[in-house]
Amino acid sequence: VALVLAHQHVHQLEPDVREFLLQTSILVELTSTLCNAITQRTDSATVLERLYHQNLFLVVNEATKEQPFAEPTYRYHALFIQFLQRQLRQNHAHQIQALHRRAAEAHPEQAQKIYYYLQAELWPEAVENIVGVARIELDQSFLRPGTLRWIESLPQSLRDTDPWLRLFNAAHLAQTGGLDQGFAQLQTSLEIFRQHGNVEGEFVCLNWMLMTQTALVEEVEAFYAAHPYLIKPHHQAWLLLARCWRYLYLGEWNL
């Protein structure tokens, strides 16, 4: 019944409003700024307000009600958005990737940018943004489950060939107990970074390899000396700890 009503309501609207509904159905949340960006119009605030007051399957988010001076944020009812997205796929499938690209480029939140790039299967853009987020997390020694899900949603061919994605997977293995397998993947990533002259990638690989192989202490120390601009206090702290564990393992008590 709800879908029949939705169909009747939509087909009674002006063509430009129907087009607005279909195009904005890709959005998780709607603001006039985002809607303007993906529909390439300038009156989205007026259209959204009119649709809301006409009770056309649009609800305002509670956070908006609590912040009356903020830009209103809306969302479509779940069944209605399914109906709109089905109509979009059937009648305007050629627009879908471009709509997601515009949403990604306009959205202020990194996580949402990644979501829309993944939805559009715009893999280079998705990888660039995922790598940016994951590198920050990796520097804090922890990859969030959400970041790992983003990586898993990428094509296997990308995950196998991109050195950063391989590095993230290796770090996750090391974090979860797969030390040998993780170290092997780190070595592969290190070789790729070195082939491409990517010093930052080499630096991150060496730091993570040091966590599982304290025998690399001297190599990492030499790398630090050659590239001091990359070093942060926590890197020095971890190197000192690794050196201590190395001396303890070797029984060099006098050092």
Side-chain angles (χ1 to χ4, degrees), residues 9 26 34 67-68 72 101 142 188 211 230 233:
H9 275 296
I26 69 157
L34 282 175
Q67 302 177 43
R101 179 189 290 277
F142 184 77
T188 302
M211 293 184 182
L230 292 173

Side-chain angles (χ1 to χ4, degrees), residues 95 129 138 159 174 229:
Q95 295 184 7
N129 282 270
L138 203 62
R159 291 183 304 193
Y229 59 92

